[in-house]
Amino acid sequence: MSGNLTLDDLAVPLRVLRLLSVDFGHLSAPSVHVSTIYPERLELSFYDDLPGFEAWREALGVAPDAVTYRMQNDGRTGTLSASVDHAGATVHLIAYADVVAPALVGGAA
């Protein structure tokens, strides 16, 4: 649903952002995204902050086995993602982190 939405149409995820800032203001600040494409979703993104992702996952009650791990960028970037319904909005957590290449055994490449 995009098109001619108003700011009022994004009230649910914006309200949830306000609630999260009150309840979890002590946690790492994520990048925040609200979109007219997904007007019921609040996205919290973490760049090179896996501990921040984990703290938010725990705070929102997302089970560890509900987290999806994927690789992108030719295996150089790992992503963690999970979603949870919270106060009427879908809160989508996503983390991006560089993947460290394992040390080569037996010498340099």
Side-chain angles (χ1 to χ4, degrees):
M1 173 206 280
S2 57
N4 296 322
L5 296 180
T6 66
L7 193 56
D8 281 342
D9 295 318
L10 301 176
V12 172
L14 293 173
R15 184 185 75 238
V16 170
L17 178 59
R18 182 175 179 211
L19 293 171
L20 293 176
S21 69
V22 170
D23 293 341
F24 304 117
H26 61 285
L27 296 179
S28 295
S31 292
V32 176
H33 185 76
V34 176
S35 169
T36 57
I37 297 170
Y38 301 106
E40 300 295 319
R41 182 164 100 175
L42 173 65
E43 184 175 292
L44 306 179
S45 302
F46 303 85
Y47 297 90
D48 292 320
D49 184 11
L50 297 179
F53 174 92
E54 179 62 14
W56 278 96
R57 182 201 61 76
E58 270 188 27
L60 292 171
V62 177
D65 62 350
V67 175
T68 302
Y69 175 75
R70 291 198 173 91
M71 298 288 285
Q72 63 185 40
N73 198 18
D74 292 328
R76 294 178 299 202
T77 303
T79 66
L80 299 175
S81 63
S83 294
V84 63
D85 290 332
H86 187 80
T90 299
V91 178
H92 183 70
L93 302 173
I94 188 159
Y96 302 93
D98 291 335
V99 174
V100 178
L104 297 174
V105 176

